[in-house]
Amino acid sequence: MMRRPRTTTCKVEQYRDMDSDLSSSQIISSDEDSVEWIPSEPKPKAPSKTASAPAAGGRKAVAKRAVKPKQPKPPKEPKAPKMPKEPKAAKPRAPRKPAAERKPRVSAALKASGGSGLAGTKVGEDKGESTGGWRAEESGPSIRMKDERLSFIVSEANEADRWANEGSSLAGLRAKKEEVEDEDFTFDEPCLKKQKTSSASQGRPTDLPLPVAQALRNELNMNWNLPQLLSTMTCVENWVCVNIIGLLREENTVPFMVRYRKEMINHMDADAVRDVQLVFEGLCALAKKTQSVIQTLKKDGVLTTELEQNLRSCRSADDLDHVYSPYKKGSKLTKARKAKALGLEVAATALMETPHTLDMQTWVKPDTQGLSSVEEVATGVEHILADIIAKDPETLTYVKTLCENNFVTIHSSVSKSALKGKEQEKTDPSRRKPGAQQNKNIDIDKFHLYSDFTSSIQRIQAHQTLAINRGESLKILTVKVNISDRVKSDFTWWCINNRWRPKTFAKQEHHAIIRNAVEDSYKRLILPFLTRSYRTKLTVAAEKESIAMFVRNLRQRLLVSPVRGCIVLGVDPGFRHGSKLAILSPTSQILHTDVVYLHSSNQPKEAEKLRYLMTKYSCTKVVIGNGTACRETESFFADLISRRYFHPLDVSYCITNEAGASIYSVSPEAVKEMPDLDPNLRSAVSIGRRVQDPLAELVKIDPKHIGIGTYQHDVSAGALKAALDGVVQECVSFVGVDINICSETLMRHVAGLNVSQAKNIAEWREQKGPFINREQLKLVKGMGPKTYQQCAGFIRINPQTLHSLKTSPHPAPSVPVKPVTKRGKGKTSVNVSTSFNPLDQTCIHPESYHVAQRFLSFVGGSADQIGTAGLRQCLESKVRTSSVEELAWTLDTTPETLKLIIDGLTQPPGFDIRQNFGQADFKRGIVSMSDLRVGAVLTGRVDNTALFGAFVDIGVGRPGLIHKSNITLDKVPLSQRRRSLALGPGERVEVRVLDVDPQRGRIGLDLIRVLE
């Protein structure tokens, strides 16, 4: 069979990947449950011992050879005393011997091969437990599973380079043995974050360093292990979570980690790291809130040891609220607490432990309310039992499992108050209320899709969830979560006959009390908790996907390639107040501003004025904002261009999104930058600059005003702002900034810098001239070692800019030759070089300069040759003869750092990563909506994307919609198939017209393909 030709080395590799495959499958399966429902399961321990024996039976020969040299090591393991005894007891049974010894062997193999970082002592025990459960489950089709794991290993080895570019969504998909294709390409974040593990070069810690771990444990003081819980919640490997926690606690920024600490985060992208960061911060916030709740309960005198442990075991805000809600001061006294105050807790305990000794009649006190009869005593005991049942982790886990195996739906309908208001308006129009009430009645029609809407919890889309939430907040919709009646019946039977069955003989009336308590607990406590839990899960998932859509749209909007080297005319169109003009130089300097009235009766005179201005400044590019009068202004310019009115100039125009331009024009940044200009003219300047350098201009505007994404007001404002600010920082940092010419606003968004530091850099530049090298940043006030480390790699010193500034009428003052003393926190002086360093114009971090210099000497090159064809050929030939890994080992660095150094040395001067992205589309003609025909094939550019589809500008004045059902896998490139909708702003697409509705201004499109 297939087992015989396999060598020992292959088996070690197979075991290693089998374990990684195991962790992957466990993680993916846990994705389907929210965090608050993950129980601590000691169950798999029992099956692990029985199931692991047959699994190892077929490999006994290899196991013996591998175990013999490892005999001295077992005493180091926690279970060392058991290891020698078990083989002796099972000596006659050969298949069981390697099963007992395989666990330490796999751990040793992992350590030797740099395997999974989960191979530590404590984590290894947890893996062993879960491995046993998995083997017991998969013991039947073992041969098929072996083949799957083998193909997983081979594909990982052969396609390592492709996985490095595409993330690990393929790894997640191959490890999961169920269909993952879906027509709407719903986000599968864990798959994106599950990265390849065989190429990480550094060690993989199983836990934080002892001092850091102890400090973090004391700070959180919770019953769960933070790295392990973070790994479970984010589906990122434990050793990666350990590194990310350490990096975040050292105040490292996400762009710095993604570019300069790749080996520590396992090549994760910025979005994946940011997701881990958000979960980490959420867990820290949960721990702080838990401490506050415990202190409050301690002051109230209701804190017990059991309650404190329950609080410290909470893994989500929902769990914490469920445990804490009965004890909140503002809430009324619960029925269970009232019964406990009457002393009935002893009776409830006796009912479950020793029901044969319980006599309800002895608890009757006629003069006491709540104890005046046997019925009242029984009711009080029921309330106490109902409260205990509703807070029991095992019970909640079981009812959650029942819900997963049954049909759970969410239903929305028009609320009674909205229907009543609409009926009153119909019957008596004179009673129509002005203002908000009238708007509410109008909004009812907007929610007609959800007036009688039902969907499964598993299949509801994110935009549907957000729309339902909005309708509910406006009191237009009523929302219910419907759980099958079968769940109640199965739950009641399980509680009565299993979990809450009395330990000894109980009378019939005692069984009736328990049954009533179970039914009351389910209806009054558990069902509302499940409803809240499902609504919270759906909202969190929908907000996450909506924010991810915002993030992707913003990133692609910021990374649009700039239009350089030409003079641009920015036009802010208008009717009554005219169209505002701004002529900008190739460096975005304002050459001229004016106002023309293109839609008045004096059009010929205004056209002549336009021709004069464009001829005077040799302007060939016109940028028109897409606001009011855009279509008419576009038609005016298209007509002039068709008549060759601007001859000999070859004039073309484009339409750009002007969202946020009016807000920016009255902002303090605009007033400071253009103090003498009218706000309307500032808008025209902003529109022109958005095409010349989109990144530099759009960072001046609050991201939520740029016009990206949908349901902006239905998601958490704080989470959206944090995500968008993170994307702006990521884009600015990865593109890099020329520190001698960039604006103060742009500098604020460089990783590691804040508003005050950016201001200090700008002031230093004004007072002492341009920066000659990166080290001079250390002289700026407030620039400590950590800040310098985070921002230095993203700051460029362009030699051409430096030369032009030195030859300007205001030369830079010379820098003193002697070391400059800087008084600051933690140091007394800084030695600053006085010469230009060619490496300062690259993406290479100063901490790697010594490696770059050694590498240049090793290949026979020099720093003055950076970006030249000769140095590129020299480096390429060296890499061909010796692999990057070998060269990195020779230079005593990591392969990731060496790859970054090679990129920095080979990229031409002034390299911009945005040059690989599309530019604005300039055109000379116009097409109207009336010219469209069903079936026509057109090309366009994605203008915006939503959770239900993508809007495409096809040049007819109105964007067309490609519904998500028409965006299928076979129509998009491989590199984009892992993204939701697979499209983003700025991408060029070929589409087919499906339908045209001129009255409603709607165009339906079908995606043919994405143009490269």
Side-chain angles (χ1 to χ4, degrees):
M1 292 180 67
M2 289 294 291
R3 296 177 186 166
R4 296 186 64 183
R6 295 183 180 172
T7 63
T8 304
T9 307
C10 288
K11 288 190 178 295
V12 173
E13 180 69 12
Q14 186 174 1
Y15 286 151
R16 179 180 65 78
D17 278 89
M18 181 177 67
D19 285 348
S20 65
D21 188 18
L22 164 64
S23 63
S24 176
S25 64
Q26 289 173 334
I27 288 169
I28 293 173
S29 64
S30 67
D31 267 352
E32 300 171 1
D33 298 334
S34 184
V35 178
E36 62 264 29
W37 292 107
I38 298 177
S40 54
E41 295 187 15
K43 297 178 185 177
K45 278 189 177 179
S48 65
K49 296 180 180 179
T50 58
S52 58
R59 304 187 180 101
K60 57 182 178 180
V62 179
K64 286 178 182 177
R65 288 197 299 272
V67 171
K68 283 182 181 178
K70 304 288 183 179
Q71 286 295 341
K73 289 191 176 180
K76 297 181 182 179
E77 297 291 332
K79 297 184 179 181
K82 298 179 182 179
M83 301 301 294
K85 294 178 182 178
E86 212 171 45
K88 290 178 182 179
K91 199 166 185 180
R93 302 181 64 178
R96 297 206 176 192
K97 182 176 179 180
E101 297 175 357
R102 198 170 85 180
K103 190 173 181 180
R105 175 188 173 277
V106 172
S107 179
L110 286 170
K111 291 178 182 176
S113 60
S116 171
L118 298 173
T121 302
K122 187 173 181 180
V123 184
E125 293 174 4
D126 295 339
K127 285 286 278 190
E129 293 172 5
S130 49
T131 304
W134 178 80
R135 286 174 183 162
E137 186 179 311
E138 301 289 345
S139 59
S142 58
I143 296 176
R144 183 176 62 84
M145 288 302 299
K146 232 174 284 180
D147 292 340
E148 289 185 18
R149 289 195 296 272
L150 180 62
S151 65
F152 186 94
I153 299 165
V154 172
S155 64
E156 185 180 50
N158 292 342
E159 303 181 27
D161 293 336
R162 184 158 66 89
W163 284 20
N165 296 329
E166 295 184 3
S168 62
S169 57
L170 297 177
L173 292 176
R174 297 185 186 197
K176 190 172 181 178
K177 294 174 283 300
E178 61 186 46
E179 292 186 7
V180 293
E181 290 92 346
D182 197 350
E183 61 174 8
D184 57 0
F185 304 96
T186 305
F187 258 170
D188 193 1
E189 289 295 337
C191 290
L192 288 179
K193 287 179 267 187
K194 187 71 181 171
Q195 301 289 331
K196 60 176 186 177
T197 60
S198 59
S199 64
S201 57
Q202 286 196 355
R204 300 178 175 183
T206 58
D207 203 351
L208 293 164
L210 190 58
V212 179
Q214 188 63 38
L216 191 60
R217 197 175 299 114
N218 294 337
E219 181 181 330
L220 298 179
N221 197 13
M222 299 294 283
N223 288 344
W224 31 257
N225 180 280
L226 179 60
Q228 290 180 6
L229 181 58
L230 189 62
S231 175
T232 302
M233 295 176 67
T234 60
C235 297
V236 175
E237 291 179 293
N238 188 75
W239 69 272
V240 181
C241 290
V242 168
N243 285 337
I244 291 178
I245 292 173
L247 290 169
L248 290 175
R249 287 183 66 83
E250 292 171 3
E251 299 180 354
N252 291 283
T253 61
V254 172
F256 177 81
M257 289 189 279
V258 171
R259 175 167 285 183
Y260 299 112
R261 295 295 183 264
K262 291 181 180 178
E263 64 279 359
M264 295 184 69
I265 63 172
N266 205 15
H267 301 265
M268 291 169 63
D269 59 22
D271 288 339
V273 177
R274 200 175 294 111
D275 285 342
V276 177
Q277 181 185 18
L278 289 175
V279 176
F280 169 72
E281 292 173 350
L283 290 174
C284 292
L286 174 65
K288 290 182 180 178
K289 187 176 180 181
T290 302
Q291 304 301 333
S292 175
V293 168
I294 289 174
Q295 293 299 323
T296 302
L297 295 177
K298 190 178 291 185
K299 288 180 182 177
D300 295 342
V302 296
L303 184 66
T304 62
T305 305
E306 182 182 0
L307 177 58
E308 184 176 357
Q309 292 304 312
N310 288 338
L311 290 169
R312 295 194 188 280
S313 299
C314 293
R315 298 186 172 192
S316 69
D318 264 0
D319 288 352
L320 182 64
D321 184 64
H322 180 64
V323 177
Y324 175 51
S325 57
Y327 303 95
K328 288 182 179 177
K329 265 188 174 180
S331 61
K332 60 183 180 180
L333 203 61
T334 63
K335 294 180 179 181
R337 291 180 67 185
K338 290 178 181 178
K340 288 179 181 179
L342 294 172
L344 292 177
E345 190 170 9
V346 177
T349 305
L351 178 60
M352 300 308 299
E353 299 292 336
T354 56
H356 62 281
T357 64
L358 179 63
D359 184 7
M360 291 291 183
Q361 193 66 42
T362 60
W363 293 89
V364 176
K365 296 180 181 179
D367 299 333
T368 305
Q369 186 178 359
L371 300 176
S372 59
S373 64
V374 174
E375 290 75 14
E376 288 189 358
V377 172
T379 302
V381 172
E382 289 172 7
H383 291 159
I384 294 175
L385 288 178
D387 184 67
I388 295 173
I389 292 171
K391 293 178 181 177
D392 179 58
E394 186 178 344
T395 303
L396 293 177
T397 301
Y398 182 79
V399 73
K400 180 62 172 60
T401 305
L402 287 177
C403 291
E404 288 174 358
N405 297 330
N406 287 274
F407 200 58
V408 180
T409 61
I410 184 169
H411 176 76
S412 66
S413 59
V414 180
S415 64
K416 292 181 179 179
S417 59
L419 285 175
K420 185 177 179 182
K422 195 170 184 178
E423 289 174 0
Q424 287 179 353
E425 182 183 345
K426 285 182 180 179
T427 55
D428 189 3
S430 61
R431 296 179 60 184
R432 180 180 298 176
K433 297 181 181 179
Q437 185 65 33
Q438 182 178 352
N439 293 336
K440 179 180 175 181
N441 294 333
I442 295 173
D443 286 342
I444 295 178
D445 298 330
K446 294 182 180 179
F447 291 93
H448 70 277
L449 291 176
Y450 304 100
S451 60
D452 188 15
F453 173 83
T454 302
S455 174
S456 168
I457 290 293
Q458 287 79 16
R459 294 185 175 274
I460 189 170
Q461 302 298 315
H463 67 276
Q464 294 171 336
T465 300
L466 295 175
I468 289 172
N469 289 351
R470 182 190 296 180
E472 188 179 32
S473 65
L474 294 173
K475 301 188 184 307
I476 295 175
L477 298 178
T478 300
V479 185
K480 293 181 180 179
V481 175
N482 299 318
I483 299 176
S484 172
D485 291 338
R486 183 178 175 182
V487 172
K488 179 182 177 181
S489 60
D490 290 352
F491 173 76
T492 304
W493 184 92
W494 178 81
C495 287
I496 294 173
N497 296 281
N498 189 344
R499 182 73 179 95
W500 301 101
R501 183 177 181 177
K503 293 185 177 180
T504 63
F505 174 78
K507 299 177 183 178
Q508 189 65 31
E509 55 267 25
H510 294 165
H511 282 292
I513 291 174
I514 295 174
R515 172 178 286 277
N516 293 338
V518 170
E519 293 178 351
D520 178 54
S521 177
Y522 179 82
K523 181 180 179 181
R524 184 169 55 88
L525 301 174
I526 295 179
L527 199 57
F529 171 73
L530 291 174
T531 301
R532 291 194 305 270
S533 177
Y534 276 120
R535 293 294 305 278
T536 301
K537 288 179 194 175
L538 291 176
T539 301
V540 169
E543 287 188 357
K544 183 178 181 181
E545 188 163 344
S546 180
I547 290 174
M549 183 75 69
F550 273 95
V551 164
R552 185 167 55 258
N553 291 353
L554 178 60
R555 182 185 291 113
Q556 294 197 240
R557 187 69 60 83
L558 293 176
L559 293 180
V560 171
S561 182
V563 177
R564 301 189 185 278
C566 60
I567 297 175
V568 170
L569 171 64
V571 182
D572 183 10
F575 287 115
R576 184 176 178 182
H577 299 289
S579 298
K580 280 67 68 178
L581 309 179
I583 300 179
L584 308 175
S585 71
T587 57
S588 298
Q589 300 298 316
I590 303 173
L591 301 178
H592 181 79
T593 57
D594 213 328
V595 180
V596 292
Y597 297 88
L598 305 179
H599 312 297
S600 63
S601 57
N602 203 12
Q603 281 190 350
K605 184 177 179 181
E606 300 298 324
E608 186 65 31
K609 184 178 182 180
L610 271 177
R611 179 166 60 181
Y612 168 76
L613 291 174
M614 297 185 72
T615 304
K616 177 181 178 180
Y617 294 100
S618 301
C619 178
T620 59
K621 303 293 183 185
V622 180
V623 181
I624 304 172
N626 66 344
T628 305
C630 166
R631 190 65 177 167
E632 291 76 11
T633 304
E634 179 188 11
S635 177
F636 181 82
F637 274 96
D639 179 62
L640 296 181
I641 292 172
S642 64
R643 293 192 284 117
R644 299 174 59 83
Y645 189 78
F646 300 108
H647 187 76
L649 297 178
D650 183 16
V651 177
S652 58
Y653 70 90
C654 75
I655 309 296
T656 191
N657 193 325
E658 67 172 34
S662 57
I663 296 176
Y664 165 72
S665 64
V666 294
S667 66
E669 289 83 0
V671 173
K672 182 179 179 181
E673 187 179 2
M674 299 172 280
D676 300 328
L677 277 186
D678 182 82
N680 294 320
L681 295 175
R682 292 176 193 154
S683 298
V685 174
S686 177
I687 290 171
R689 287 175 174 174
R690 289 185 183 203
V691 172
Q692 287 186 314
D693 193 344
L695 179 62
E697 188 63 24
L698 291 177
V699 296
K700 303 174 184 177
I701 305 168
D702 192 334
K704 65 184 180 183
H705 295 143
I706 297 179
I708 51 172
T710 53
Y711 297 99
Q712 173 177 311
H713 303 290
D714 298 303
V715 300
S716 169
L720 179 63
K721 186 179 187 307
L724 297 184
D725 288 347
V727 173
V728 174
Q729 184 188 68
E730 170 197 333
C731 293
V732 172
S733 300
F734 288 167
V735 170
V737 298
D738 187 343
I739 195 65
N740 287 319
I741 59 173
C742 73
S743 65
E744 180 184 329
T745 306
L746 190 62
M747 270 191 287
R748 295 175 189 170
H749 298 286
V750 176
L753 298 182
N754 55 30
V755 176
S756 61
Q757 291 163 344
K759 182 179 179 182
N760 292 338
I761 291 175
E763 290 177 352
W764 195 97
R765 189 174 59 187
E766 291 175 4
Q767 296 171 3
K768 303 185 179 181
F771 289 89
I772 299 174
N773 53 48
R774 284 171 171 169
E775 284 200 19
Q776 283 187 313
L777 289 167
K778 298 177 180 178
L779 304 177
V780 177
K781 179 183 177 183
M783 185 69 67
K786 195 65 184 181
T787 303
Y788 176 77
Q789 179 200 40
Q790 298 298 304
C791 72
F794 306 115
I795 287 175
R796 308 281 188 271
I797 307 293
N798 194 319
Q800 288 82 9
T801 305
L802 189 61
H803 177 73
S804 63
L805 291 175
K806 283 185 175 181
T807 56
S808 64
H810 304 286
S814 59
V815 180
V817 178
K818 63 180 181 179
V820 181
T821 301
K822 175 190 172 186
R823 298 185 181 275
K825 183 178 179 181
K827 60 180 180 179
T828 56
S829 65
V830 179
N831 293 328
V832 176
S833 173
T834 60
S835 59
F836 171 72
N837 188 340
L839 294 175
D840 287 342
Q841 61 182 314
T842 68
C843 60
I844 303 172
H845 197 279
E847 67 184 10
S848 303
Y849 279 3
H850 64 287
V851 180
Q853 294 289 1
R854 273 189 288 150
F855 183 54
L856 285 170
S857 302
F858 185 70
V859 300
S862 66
D864 297 330
Q865 297 176 300
I866 289 176
T868 61
L871 182 60
R872 175 186 288 271
Q873 293 175 358
C874 182
L875 295 179
E876 288 177 352
S877 63
K878 196 68 179 177
V879 171
R880 278 196 299 267
T881 56
S882 302
S883 66
V884 174
E885 288 74 16
E886 293 178 3
L887 291 172
W889 184 82
T890 304
L891 297 170
D892 192 22
T893 187
T894 63
E896 290 77 12
T897 301
L898 184 57
K899 288 177 184 176
L900 189 65
I901 290 173
I902 293 173
D903 288 342
L905 296 178
T906 54
Q907 289 168 354
F911 173 78
D912 193 334
I913 64 172
R914 293 175 293 174
Q915 66 190 23
N916 297 323
F917 293 79
Q919 285 186 341
D921 291 324
F922 287 88
K923 51 187 178 179
R924 295 174 178 81
I926 187 171
V927 179
S928 66
M929 196 169 174
S930 58
D931 297 330
L932 293 178
R933 296 292 180 270
V934 174
V937 177
L938 306 168
T939 59
R941 193 174 292 277
V942 178
D943 182 56
N944 196 5
T945 58
L947 296 173
F948 48 82
F951 293 95
V952 180
D953 181 8
I954 54 176
V956 298
R958 288 226 176 229
L961 173 65
I962 307 177
H963 192 267
K964 65 180 181 181
S965 60
N966 295 322
I967 306 175
T968 55
L969 284 174
D970 57 322
K971 299 177 182 178
V972 297
L974 286 172
S975 60
Q976 295 176 240
R977 291 186 182 181
R978 64 175 188 169
R979 298 185 333 198
S980 175
L981 288 178
L983 294 176
E987 295 189 35
R988 296 185 64 244
V989 292
E990 187 176 17
V991 295
R992 180 183 290 105
V993 179
L994 294 180
D995 58 81
V996 181
D997 186 353
Q999 292 182 348
R1000 302 172 69 186
R1002 293 185 177 182
I1003 305 169
L1005 302 174
D1006 180 24
L1007 176 67
I1008 298 177
R1009 62 190 176 101
V1010 179
L1011 302 176
E1012 300 292 340

